[in-house]
Amino acid sequence: MQDRPTAEELLQVAQNFCERDLLPSLSGRVRFHARVLQNILGILQREWTGEEDAVRAEWNRLRTLLDKHSDAPPTYGAVRDEVVAWNKELGSRIRAGGQDDRWDETVAAVYETILEKLAIANPRHSEAASSDT
């Protein structure tokens, strides 16, 4: 791991370069692709700073919904893998009617996860969705 510049700082520099230097000098299709690149860099930066907290929060919601009684795995990668597995389990339970008695709680938990994912993918959509509730 490098001390400086951090990955977050590098992503910010790349975004600033796109905004200040690259985009003004481009037009048409190439400008569009540079804007796409800038959006990708923004997603990467938000993932870098917020994804682990969001995945750990999702793990806690799924743990409650699925009545799991385990402690969080020791590594983020293992937490992420468990979230993937538990989401599959939740989907199976929903399809089988196994969450019907906890429907409101299930919808609220899934909605919170969606808001967290939107905050990383596109914060404007997350803000709009939050204000709709």
Side-chain angles (χ1 to χ4, degrees), residues 65-103:
L65 278 177
L66 299 173
D67 296 318
K68 302 291 184 179
H69 301 286
S70 60
D71 292 330
T75 66
Y76 169 60
V79 170
R80 192 177 56 232
D81 291 345
E82 201 158 81
V83 164
V84 170
W86 286 359
N87 270 311
K88 289 177 183 177
E89 182 179 338
L90 179 62
S92 294
R93 284 188 187 189
I94 290 170
R95 284 188 294 281
Q99 290 297 116
D100 289 356
D101 60 331
R102 296 171 73 181
W103 188 249

Side-chain angles (χ1 to χ4, degrees), residues 14-121:
Q15 282 184 292
N16 291 344
F17 171 74
C18 282
E19 182 71 30
R20 295 180 189 149
D21 299 321
L22 191 59
L23 284 168
S25 67
L26 299 173
S27 63
R29 183 173 175 263
V30 177
R31 181 181 172 86
F32 170 77
H33 286 286
R35 179 64 74 187
V36 170
L37 172 62
Q38 185 179 22
N39 287 332
I40 290 169
L41 292 169
I43 292 168
L44 289 172
Q45 183 178 27
R46 290 185 297 276
E47 280 184 1
W48 190 267
T49 59
E51 184 181 53
E52 184 171 351
D53 288 343
V55 170
R56 288 185 185 280
E58 183 178 4
W59 183 91
N60 283 314
R61 285 190 294 275
L62 289 167
R63 180 178 184 255
T64 299
L65 278 177
L66 299 173
D67 296 318
K68 302 291 184 179
H69 301 286
S70 60
D71 292 330
T75 66
Y76 169 60
V79 170
R80 192 177 56 232
D81 291 345
E82 201 158 81
V83 164
V84 170
W86 286 359
N87 270 311
K88 289 177 183 177
E89 182 179 338
L90 179 62
S92 294
R93 284 188 187 189
I94 290 170
R95 284 188 294 281
Q99 290 297 116
D100 289 356
D101 60 331
R102 296 171 73 181
W103 188 249
D104 290 342
E105 181 184 1
T106 301
V107 169
V110 170
Y111 189 75
E112 187 66 28
T113 296
I114 290 168
L115 289 178
E116 289 172 348
K117 289 179 183 290
L118 279 173
I120 290 171

